[in-house]
Amino acid sequence: MNLKKQPQLSDNVCFAIYSANNAIIRAYKPLLEEYDLTFPQYLVMQALWCEDGVNLTRLSEQTGLDLGTLTPIVKRLETKSLLTREKDSQDERKKVIKLSTSGTSIKLEALKLKQVLLEKVSLNEEALKLLRAHCLTIVGELNL
Amino acid sequence: MNLKKQPQLSDNVCFAIYSANNAIIRAYKPLLEEYDLTFPQYLVMQALWCEDGVNLTRLSEQTGLDLGTLTPIVKRLETKSLLTREKDSQDERKKVIKLSTSGTSIKLEALKLKQVLLEKVSLNEEALKLLRAHCLTIVGELNL
DNA sequence: AACAAATACTTTGCGCACAAAGTATTTTAA
DNA sequence: TTAAAATACTTTGTGCGCAAAGTATTTGTT
């Protein structure tokens, strides 16, 4: 009695993560519209709210994005006057990214969006904690 | 004694999933090069290996991608002669996607890549199962 | 001091991912 | 039996995400 059902795309962990990521970005979109931010831009802002006045390479380490991705994102945030990009006087190769007043001022409000989104998900604290840890394990081990 | 360390970007479940997704796509890239496939193209092929001869809308349901994303992906797979796109004679609005001989022939080999990738990750069967389930819960609940 | 190597960032090209607008076909209803 | 609405797909525009190539500055070596 082989009751195995047809194999499905959703049997895949990788597909599940991929789909969850797309779903999260879609769900954040209407919430972030109020701040005129995309999801990756929101992540960069969060990185800066954690540690301000860093150069692009540091931001790259924090976000896991490469410089070719970050440069245009940070430029767009500069256009929106949420941050400034100026050369490091000590080392002119480096660009120091600093939050502007308005970049800092939206921090508390914008961080609340995380709760708004998570409220839509029935997973409990423990499950989310585990999910986060397992994802970071994958990141760490695949980036070796 | 408040020993809480600085808040980090990686405290976020959403960031963890986002990073895991990027890491998975990066890790698959060299493996998929042999088949001249990108990760999303690989997912579409997997969907077809599960259920062949479907129209774009069905493929959209299976992959969670919208038609505007799928059309160009499927066209590229057609260019690579991995599948055909022909109008449904019953309903000429629909395009029926069918695997070609070569599209079918790489199935067994290409599906092995999943194991190759997962071997790099230390998570056990149980953890992966839970991770997958939790991600699908998020997808289901955010797409309401 | 001079030149090679390393580092930090930018630019270009390609393929997603999606919203919005457009085209074609079918269904529904007046 | 048409006109309106719905459905299926395509196209266009924007913003990632990354590889590869390019520029500028600094460091290391002779």
Side-chain angles (χ1 to χ4, degrees), chain B residues 18 26 56-57 71 75 85 93-95:
Chain B
Y18 169 83
R26 273 196 300 269
L56 260 197
T57 298
T71 296
K75 275 187 172 179
R85 303 187 314 138
R93 289 170 305 182
K94 298 182 181 172
K95 284 269 175 69

Side-chain angles (χ1 to χ4, degrees), chain A residues 18 22 26 55-57 67-68 71 75 85 93-95:
Chain A
Y18 168 82
N22 286 342
R26 272 196 299 269
N55 65 9
L56 261 197
T57 298
L67 293 175
T71 295
K75 275 188 173 181
R85 303 187 313 138
R93 290 171 304 181
K94 298 184 182 171
K95 284 269 175 69

Side-chain angles (χ1 to χ4, degrees), chain A residues 71-112:
Chain A
T71 295
I73 292 178
V74 170
K75 275 188 173 181
R76 283 181 204 109
L77 292 172
E78 185 187 32
T79 302
K80 297 175 193 183
S81 300
L82 292 171
L83 51 78
T84 58
R85 303 187 313 138
E86 43 187 45
K87 281 190 181 173
D88 185 335
S89 55
Q90 305 299 300
D91 184 342
E92 301 236 319
R93 290 171 304 181
K94 298 184 182 171
K95 284 269 175 69
V96 180
I97 316 299
K98 287 198 183 112
L99 286 169
S100 67
T101 311
S102 69
T104 304
S105 69
I106 62 171
K107 173 177 175 177
L108 288 181
E109 280 296 317
L111 282 176
K112 288 181 189 162

Side-chain angles (χ1 to χ4, degrees), chain A residues 18 22 26 29, chain B residues 44 56-74:
Chain A
Y18 168 82
N22 286 342
R26 272 196 299 269
K29 181 168 267 194
Chain B
V44 168
L56 260 197
T57 298
R58 174 68 179 151
L59 214 45
S60 169
E61 290 164 7
Q62 296 296 299
T63 59
L65 296 172
D66 76 13
L67 293 174
T69 300
L70 276 176
T71 296
I73 292 179
V74 170

